[in-house]
């Protein structure tokens, strides 16, 4: 039975979350609440810091501010519902909110995937063509790249959403996760999944490997260029400018590949949920910490923003 033949208000999803571990519900709630608070403060703080410090008005930090924006949005789409199902018995979510949550989260993920590739390209130009950096990464070029990233993120997520909407669901559907995630929704469907699985395979592989090719190619040229430098301090400075982005990329794509390459067996569902927590809750918290830990300009701005004014002390 297609969803068009069934009133969508009759279709509900039950998010199992971590209900099979009742003893850890409250501790998990407290942990995720702290993580979410740090995520909100960290990412919004990063945006404020970049806006506040004129030294950070460069293409790299322009893209970083949008990475923080996406992480904030992504976490705010997922974590509040996770916190809710940890403390209330009602774990149901109706058809429309479930698909809205998925579509918004998919936009953030798809956009962030390509944004990380654009940031790798930015580092490639900065290190391999430093004299042409200002021209190549002009304000207009950055705006065009960012527009393309957001546009493809919405198109890609729209295709994924359509591939799920053509499926049929029973009145009550069990989702063995804490969010309306693609593979979990797909598993809950009662209809033939061949077309949807084909779309997933083609588009997910295109998104992942196309961006990975950009990232790996950029860093291959960066590595070769750095090795040709005669100055040890120059090599260190070049590598240090890439360290934060390379760390973020490794964590993001490593978790993404693990999540979608893991076989969907019953024994793997706990690993899927744990990995999904890391992917949806922890990574958005880590990114601002990663970029601020090794960056002197960011740390200096934080110090200036948090230091107590002398007039306050004298008063």
């Amino acid at each position: 039975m297609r969803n068009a033949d069934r009133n969508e208000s009759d279709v509900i999803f039950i998010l199992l979350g971590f209900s099979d571990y009742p003893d850890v519900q409250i501790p998990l709630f407290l942990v995720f609440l702290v993580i979410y608070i740090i995520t909100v403060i960290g990412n919004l703080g990063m945006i404020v810091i970049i806006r506040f410090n004129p030294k950070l008005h460069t293409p790299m930090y322009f893209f970083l501010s949008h990475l923080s924006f996406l992480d904030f949005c992504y976490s705010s789409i997922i974590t509040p519902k996770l916190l809710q199902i940890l403390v209330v018995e009602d774990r149901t979510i109706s058809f429309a909110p479930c698909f809205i949550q998925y579509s918004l989260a998919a936009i953030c993920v798809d956009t962030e995937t390509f944004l990380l590739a654009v940031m790798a390209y930015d580092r490639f130009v900065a290190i391999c063509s430093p004299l042409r950096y200002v021209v190549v990464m002009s304000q207009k070029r950055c705006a065009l790249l960012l527009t393309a990233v957001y546009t493809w993120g919405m198109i890609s997520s729209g295709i994924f959403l359509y591939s799920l909407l053509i499926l049929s669901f029973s009145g009550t559907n069990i989702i063995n996760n804490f969010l309306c995630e693609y593979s979990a929704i797909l598993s809950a469907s009662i209809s033939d999944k061949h077309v949807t699985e084909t779309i997933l395979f083609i588009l997910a592989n295109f998104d992942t490997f196309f961006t990975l090719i950009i990232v790996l190619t950029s860093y291959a040229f960066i590595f070769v260029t750095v090795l040709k430098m005669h100055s040890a301090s120059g090599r260190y400075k070049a590598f240090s400018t890439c360290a934060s982005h390379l760390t973020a990329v490794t964590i993001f794509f490593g978790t993404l590949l693990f999540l979608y390459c893991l076989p969907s067996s019953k024994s793997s569902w706990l690993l899927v949920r744990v990995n999904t927590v890391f992917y949806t809750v922890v990574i958005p918290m880590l990114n601002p910490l990663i970029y601020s830990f090794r960056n002197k300009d960011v740390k200096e701005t934080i110090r200036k923003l948090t230091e107590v004014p002398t007039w306050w002390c004298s008063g």
Side-chain angles (χ1 to χ4, degrees):
M1 181 182 296
R2 289 186 176 277
N3 294 321
D5 301 326
R6 172 187 291 276
N7 191 336
E8 290 181 357
S9 62
D10 296 333
V11 178
I12 62 171
F13 297 90
I14 300 176
L15 302 172
L16 294 183
F18 296 91
S19 57
D20 44 348
Y21 299 94
D23 296 337
V24 299
Q25 299 282 339
I26 300 302
L28 284 177
F29 172 83
L30 296 175
V31 170
F32 294 148
L33 178 61
V34 171
I35 291 176
Y36 180 59
I37 293 173
I38 295 173
T39 300
V40 171
I41 294 174
N43 285 290
L44 292 182
M46 181 65 71
I47 295 172
V48 171
I49 288 169
I50 293 171
R51 298 287 184 182
F52 177 82
N53 190 346
K55 292 175 65 177
L56 303 181
H57 294 175
T58 63
M60 181 177 73
Y61 292 105
F62 171 71
F63 294 129
L64 178 57
S65 65
H66 284 272
L67 179 66
S68 294
F69 171 73
L70 290 170
D71 282 336
F72 164 74
C73 292
Y74 188 46
S75 181
S76 296
I77 292 166
I78 301 299
T79 309
K81 186 62 180 181
L82 169 59
L83 295 174
Q84 178 188 341
I85 66 174
L86 285 171
V87 293
V88 299
E89 293 184 3
D90 185 10
R91 302 173 185 275
T92 61
I93 180 171
S94 57
F95 184 89
C98 182
F99 277 79
I100 289 173
Q101 183 194 54
Y102 166 73
S103 61
L104 293 176
I107 290 173
C108 292
V109 173
D110 291 339
T111 303
E112 183 165 333
T113 303
F114 281 84
L115 181 60
L116 288 170
V118 169
M119 293 173 74
Y121 173 73
D122 171 76
R123 292 298 82 206
F124 157 73
V125 177
I127 294 174
C128 298
S129 302
L131 299 179
R132 300 179 62 245
Y133 180 69
V134 177
V135 176
V136 175
M137 300 303 293
S138 63
Q139 188 174 3
K140 182 178 180 180
R141 176 72 61 84
C142 291
L144 287 173
L145 288 171
L146 193 65
T147 300
V149 163
Y150 277 101
T151 300
W152 179 250
M154 289 185 283
I155 292 174
S156 181
S157 62
I159 297 173
F160 281 127
L161 178 62
Y162 171 77
S163 70
L164 291 176
L165 289 174
I166 63 176
L167 297 176
S168 302
F169 299 91
S170 60
T172 301
N173 305 273
I174 303 297
I175 291 183
N176 199 357
N177 214 322
F178 58 86
L179 76 163
C180 293
E181 184 265 332
Y182 193 96
S183 59
I185 298 175
L186 185 62
S187 299
S189 173
I190 58 174
S191 61
D192 181 22
K193 306 178 180 68
H194 177 71
V195 174
T196 300
E197 289 175 341
T198 302
I199 294 173
L200 171 64
F201 177 80
I202 295 174
L203 192 56
N205 278 285
F206 171 79
D207 287 350
T208 303
F209 290 106
F210 180 75
T211 51
L212 272 177
I213 288 172
I214 296 175
V215 171
L216 294 176
T217 302
S218 297
Y219 276 102
F221 280 106
I222 289 172
F223 185 74
V224 172
T225 301
V226 171
L227 287 181
K228 292 180 179 179
M229 294 180 179
H230 300 293
S231 170
S233 61
R235 288 195 296 268
Y236 174 79
K237 183 179 180 180
F239 276 128
S240 64
T241 61
C242 299
S244 298
H245 178 261
L246 193 56
T247 303
V249 165
T250 302
I251 295 174
F252 181 87
F253 281 101
T255 308
L256 184 66
L257 290 173
F258 179 83
L259 178 62
Y260 288 101
C261 290
L262 195 67
S264 299
S265 62
K266 291 183 178 180
S267 61
S268 71
W269 275 114
L270 177 59
L271 288 176
V272 169
R273 279 177 285 174
V274 172
N275 198 59
T276 305
V277 165
F278 190 80
Y279 182 67
T280 60
V281 179
V282 179
I283 287 181
M285 176 193 68
L286 289 179
N287 280 339
L289 299 179
I290 291 171
Y291 278 96
S292 61
F293 179 71
R294 295 178 58 89
N295 193 292
K296 294 180 180 180
D297 291 328
V298 172
K299 289 191 287 187
E300 178 65 20
T301 306
I302 294 174
R303 186 189 65 78
K304 289 180 179 180
L305 289 173
T306 56
E307 67 183 3
V308 179
T310 54
W311 61 266
W312 177 269
C313 297
S314 61

